[in-house]
Amino acid sequence: MFNHKIATIGSHSALQILKGAKDEGFSTIVICIKNREKLYKLFDVADEIIIINDYKEFPKIQNKLKKEKAIIIPHASFIAYLGLKTIEKLKIPYYGNKKILHWESDRNKEKKWLAKSKLNLPKIFTKAEKIDRLVIVKLHGADGGKGYFLAKDKDDFIKKTKSQPKQNYFIQEYIIGVPIYIHYFYSPITNQVEIMGFDKRYETNVDSLGRINSYDQLDLPKKMIDPSYVVIGNFPMVVRESLLPKILEMGQNVVKASQKIAPPGLFGPFCLETILTSESKFYTFEISARIVAGTNPYINGSPYTWIKYNEPMSTGRRIARDIKQAIEQNKLEKILY
Ligand code: ATP
């Protein structure tokens, strides 16, 4: 048992994070809103459950968490519920480089980072007049991919946006290929970038449109068949082994570039959200600089972590192992912010 405890907010990948922490010998704390505690009780992954009325109250329990020597593990819901400004001001030990959050949340900065990492990016159109190919139109701050649409040219874009209130659209080249979400882990303790696994997402309603033949689709109201990309779950995936060297290089380049733009750089889990074309070219359309929910199918480890560790190693557990090794080597200052 360690003096430090591992804490996270009860959502997203908390089950995985807490189970992984317990497997590495840590006591755990989950902070959740009322009624969510039932889930964490059922799975018995939290030694302590703190219930708050609203996630906005999180800063108020900081002193209590500090006294318990809690280390907070961020995930997407943690960032979304608390917001960047609040997270920056938190005074409890936080696993991750907070400076990276700005590079990830601002689309222009993110693009700079990914380009610096020598990744192929889909072309971005700043003006509708310039659209010269199939594009995916994303809304800024979109609620999980709702309201996205495709446009084949400028006229199509104008037609589709005409009746909508003026919005801040993000227009990106649509890449035809298969989406692959690549899970990595970089440890500043071992100085190694690891491939943890892959997933593909199950998105409603876009993944259900193919079940209605085009003939029947023509008879349906447009509203019913407008695509949305709301993630409901994740499928595990393995990729052709011949793709792995390229995938590893991509992850290493992202870490290297991050060390220049936001020293000491990105560490811990991260994910490149990519589309692979039939010419085997990866296009990266987004980066998540933390644990992604796509790692949840691998609570018992992925094929890749099984090869490397010979024991069940989820991303949640890998985080706890990083913290454990940092404690043992007196290097906690390298991973806590
Ligand atoms: P987040 O990680 O923030 O939840 P996301 O992974 O859902 O976002 P989005 O950028 O919102 O990613 O994309 C939603 C969907 O659109 C996904 O199915 C993704 O594969 C697809 N997509 C995104 N960008 C492109 C693109 N440039 N070309 C083809 N498909 C894309």
Side-chain angles (χ1 to χ4, degrees):
M1 274 289 178
F2 299 94
N3 269 337
H4 289 277
K5 296 181 178 176
I6 302 268
T8 196
I9 274 189
S11 189
H12 190 268
S13 45
L15 287 171
Q16 183 194 159
I17 291 169
L18 299 170
K19 162 88 173 106
K22 282 186 86 67
D23 287 347
E24 288 299 299
F26 287 95
S27 284
T28 56
I29 303 173
V30 69
I31 302 104
C32 47
I33 49 170
K34 231 181 164 36
N35 289 325
R36 286 265 180 112
E37 74 277 10
K38 293 172 192 159
L39 182 75
Y40 300 96
K41 271 189 192 145
L42 171 70
F43 287 108
D44 201 18
V45 287
D47 297 301
E48 189 181 347
I49 299 180
I50 301 175
I51 299 173
I52 52 181
N53 294 317
D54 191 298
Y55 291 114
K56 302 239 164 350
E57 286 177 13
F58 184 85
K60 288 194 202 153
I61 58 160
Q62 274 198 88
N63 281 341
K64 176 177 166 46
L65 290 174
K66 243 178 137 177
K67 266 191 215 138
E68 302 216 36
K69 295 196 90 175
I71 296 170
I72 194 87
I73 312 294
H75 49 57
S77 303
F78 180 82
I79 312 276
Y81 294 149
L82 268 69
L84 240 61
K85 279 199 183 125
T86 306
I87 291 172
E88 268 178 342
K89 286 191 215 130
L90 290 181
K91 296 211 169 61
I92 41 167
Y94 170 100
Y95 179 80
N97 176 359
K98 289 184 187 173
K99 278 191 269 174
I100 284 289
L101 295 175
H102 291 277
W103 285 86
E104 180 206 22
S105 60
D106 175 325
R107 285 206 207 257
N108 292 324
K109 285 181 125 181
E110 183 189 32
K111 189 181 155 208
K112 246 191 222 165
W113 176 13
L114 296 178
K116 237 181 180 337
S117 311
K118 300 184 208 120
L119 299 176
N120 302 311
L121 314 181
K123 190 174 160 62
I124 290 161
F125 296 90
T126 47
K127 286 196 180 99
E129 298 75 54
K130 297 212 166 139
I131 299 174
D132 62 358
R133 62 194 81 182
L134 183 65
V135 292
I136 178 165
V137 184
K138 305 179 181 182
L139 306 179
H140 280 283
D143 180 11
K146 261 189 205 155
Y148 288 11
F149 60 91
L150 303 190
K152 58 179 188 294
D153 53 29
K154 179 188 88 178
D155 293 341
D156 193 28
F157 176 88
I158 292 171
K159 194 174 86 192
K160 286 176 174 160
T161 51
K162 208 167 50 189
S163 57
Q164 298 199 16
K166 226 177 154 41
Q167 302 207 45
N168 205 357
Y169 294 110
F170 183 70
I171 309 169
Q172 197 177 55
E173 172 185 15
Y174 187 88
I175 307 295
I176 298 178
V178 288
I180 302 179
Y181 293 78
I182 311 170
H183 318 149
Y184 296 96
F185 190 93
Y186 172 65
S187 165
I189 307 300
T190 63
N191 289 321
Q192 219 177 37
V193 174
E194 300 168 33
I195 296 171
M196 302 298 286
F198 304 90
D199 77 288
K200 81 177 261 208
R201 294 181 176 176
Y202 200 29
E203 294 163 321
T204 186
N205 63 359
V206 76
D207 286 326
S208 55
L209 293 178
R211 302 176 71 162
I212 309 168
N213 72 46
S214 57
Y215 178 81
D216 289 331
Q217 286 190 16
L218 290 175
D219 288 335
L220 290 171
K222 188 177 161 307
K223 229 175 104 188
M224 272 182 78
I225 51 168
D226 270 345
S228 62
Y229 300 85
V230 181
V231 184
I232 299 301
N234 305 79
F235 298 105
M237 190 201 289
V238 286
V239 300
R240 293 166 67 143
E241 195 161 314
S242 57
L243 293 169
L244 294 178
K246 175 71 192 161
I247 286 168
L248 183 59
E249 185 190 309
M250 286 162 61
Q252 288 168 334
N253 286 344
V254 164
V255 171
K256 239 185 260 164
S258 75
Q259 291 168 346
K260 292 199 185 99
I261 58 171
L266 171 68
F267 65 86
F270 65 101
C271 171
L272 289 182
E273 309 189 357
T274 69
I275 311 272
L276 182 63
T277 67
S278 50
E279 286 82 38
S280 285
K281 192 167 172 183
F282 279 101
Y283 283 86
T284 303
F285 61 91
E286 206 167 299
I287 180 165
S288 286
R290 71 187 82 81
I291 187 167
V292 287
T295 60
N296 283 336
Y298 302 121
I299 290 187
N300 207 29
S302 76
Y304 304 96
T305 63
W306 177 249
I307 297 165
K308 185 158 171 61
Y309 289 96
N310 240 342
E311 62 179 326
M313 183 58 69
S314 68
T315 294
R317 184 169 184 181
R318 184 67 190 84
I319 294 171
R321 174 84 44 108
D322 211 33
I323 295 171
K324 185 164 131 180
Q325 289 178 337
I327 293 171
E328 286 164 356
Q329 296 173 32
N330 237 340
K331 290 182 178 164
L332 262 187
E333 82 289 347
K334 277 194 149 194
I335 56 164
L336 300 184
Y337 284 82

